[in-house]
Amino acid sequence: MMSPKVEFHFDFGSPNAYFCHKVLPALAARTGVQIAYVPVLLGGVFKLTNNQPPMVQFKGIRNKGEYAQRETERFIRKHGLTGFRRNPHFPVNTVQIMRGALVAECDGFFDRYVDQVFRHMWEEPKKMDDAAVIQDALDASGLDGRAILDRTQEQSIKDKLIANTEASVARGNFGSPTFFVGDEMYFGKDRLREVEEEIVSATQRAR
């Protein structure tokens, strides 16, 4: 029996991507799949798709923001995500920390890096587009912040983030978090149930 290929296309700057990151381990355990994390640059996705962040897109719409806040609070309660804190520096330019994810992927500490950067963005919020802040945060997490930041300037790392972002958009992505289960795309944390249902269905079809 083969499990479907499941991908999580994410940017650290999205609080909803953080929420997904926190609940994905349980989903993976229930379904028996491995979930491949794919770093993309949300600003690049927006530029390529002519999309806008919700804070811009829905500005001035009566009740829209209030409902989004209520829905977020429900999600936090449901999954017990009591460590979440809103980042006072939001929105954050994530290009350095997204490139850093690719450095970590190349050098074999990707999972640790992702977990720690999400923590520094959404549990102990920091201005994670300031190089000095990033370095201090990574150092505090037991990572070599200076070395990681230096490598984010390598052309191969820059090109890889661009390639990831362009390929994701070519498959239909327009934001973060986005999931692919095989060729099926699902957008947003509110589609996690459908993601899980498709994983189960695809696994059964492969028997």
Side-chain angles (χ1 to χ4, degrees):
M1 183 173 63
M2 294 182 60
S3 298
K5 183 177 182 181
V6 182
E7 299 173 35
F8 172 43
H9 292 218
F10 76 99
D11 184 304
F12 291 117
S14 165
N16 288 330
Y18 163 81
F19 293 138
C20 290
H21 170 68
K22 299 300 287 186
V23 303
L24 282 176
L27 186 153
R30 288 192 300 270
T31 59
V33 301
Q34 290 188 335
I35 299 174
Y37 278 51
V38 179
V40 299
L41 186 63
L42 186 54
V45 172
F46 284 164
K47 184 176 181 180
L48 290 168
T49 60
N50 200 31
N51 195 5
Q52 294 179 320
M55 61 188 296
V56 175
Q57 188 176 3
F58 301 124
K59 183 178 180 180
I61 298 179
R62 183 177 178 181
N63 298 329
K64 181 77 174 182
E66 291 83 356
Y67 176 78
Q69 177 61 29
R70 182 180 299 176
E71 192 273 335
T72 295
E73 292 168 355
R74 289 172 180 161
F75 192 93
I76 289 171
R77 286 197 304 270
K78 177 179 179 180
H79 297 284
L81 303 178
T82 57
F84 174 73
R85 301 289 183 272
R86 294 198 171 274
N87 193 315
H89 308 288
F90 182 82
V92 171
N93 184 333
T94 57
V95 64
Q96 293 180 90
I97 52 178
M98 294 314 301
R99 289 175 182 168
L102 294 172
V103 172
E105 188 175 55
C106 289
D107 291 354
F109 55 93
F110 181 76
D111 290 350
R112 182 179 177 190
Y113 177 91
V114 168
D115 201 50
Q116 289 301 305
V117 174
F118 268 128
R119 178 171 71 85
H120 291 300
M121 273 293 300
W122 300 111
E123 293 179 4
E124 300 171 17
K126 300 173 180 67
K127 194 176 190 309
M128 294 294 285
D129 52 10
D130 182 306
V133 173
I134 295 169
Q135 180 173 341
D136 287 346
L138 295 178
D139 287 346
S141 295
L143 300 169
D144 190 336
R146 182 70 266 159
I148 293 169
L149 284 171
D150 285 347
R151 288 207 57 204
T152 63
Q153 299 307 305
E154 295 177 6
Q155 193 61 48
S156 61
I157 294 297
K158 295 178 180 180
D159 290 345
K160 177 61 174 173
L161 184 57
I162 292 170
N164 276 10
T165 303
E166 291 178 344
S168 185
V169 169
R171 294 174 65 185
N173 187 16
F174 53 85
S176 173
T178 293
F179 296 88
F180 290 94
V181 183
D183 292 328
E184 292 294 325
M185 190 187 92
Y186 300 87
F187 174 74
K189 71 181 186 303
D190 54 337
R191 292 293 177 265
L192 282 169
R193 182 173 64 181
E194 287 83 351
V195 168
E196 185 165 351
E197 289 172 350
E198 178 60 22
I199 291 170
V200 172
S201 178
T203 301
Q204 292 174 342
R205 293 195 299 269
R207 288 178 177 174

